[in-house]
Amino acid sequence: RYEEEADTGRRVSQVRIDWLAGRPQVLDYTAIPPETAAPPDAAATEGTLDPVSAVTAVLAETGADRACTLTFRLFDGQRLSQVVLTKRQDRPDEVLCSGTFTRLAGYRPEEMAERRQFDLRLTYRRSETGALIAVEAEVQTLYGKVRLKRR
């Protein structure tokens, strides 16, 4: 289950979604102003993650062999997006991954025209056990770069 109350400055929304057999079931989605774009069809959302699960997948501890090989789609009740991490740069004590966040469906045409793809970068550090732990994430947004740092 995923529940969200959001105020993006452009939209105020509430959503409740259950995932059944890998498919999201939107129980409630309300937005002010009302959405004008059609949401993606149900088949397109199969196998998606909700936004919180998506962040968890990106920031989760990973093995050195799996770093920078992440691809998934996420669905927030209206919009379908994709995250791809493929480029890798190894350094002595860290691994840098880069990729993109791409808007796929459920966005208004003017949103798609404004920007469809956003760069993102992750920095992993090696733990004492040899696993990689995300210590920083950076993503380009409409408002500028956002940087998250692990404390």
Side-chain angles (χ1 to χ4, degrees), residues 33-104:
E35 297 290 351
T36 57
D41 66 44
T45 65
E46 185 172 359
T48 56
L49 299 177
D50 66 80
V52 172
S53 297
V55 169
T56 302
V58 169
L59 298 178
E61 183 176 301
T62 188
D65 59 330
R66 292 188 313 275
C68 308
T69 62
L70 190 61
T71 299
F72 62 84
R73 290 173 301 125
L74 64 113
F75 179 62
D76 72 354
Q78 169 65 31
R79 287 160 293 282
L80 179 66
S81 306
Q82 180 170 284
V83 170
V84 177
L85 287 173
T86 56
K87 297 177 185 158
R88 178 179 176 144
Q89 181 182 7
D90 286 277
R91 294 185 175 174
D93 62 343
E94 62 186 18
V95 174
L96 302 178
C97 301
S98 58
T100 56
F101 173 94
T102 305
R103 294 172 165 176
L104 298 177

Side-chain angles (χ1 to χ4, degrees), residues 15 19 32 42 46 48 99 109 111 138:
V15 65
W19 265 257
I32 301 170
E46 185 172 359
T48 56
E111 291 174 311
E138 185 179 281

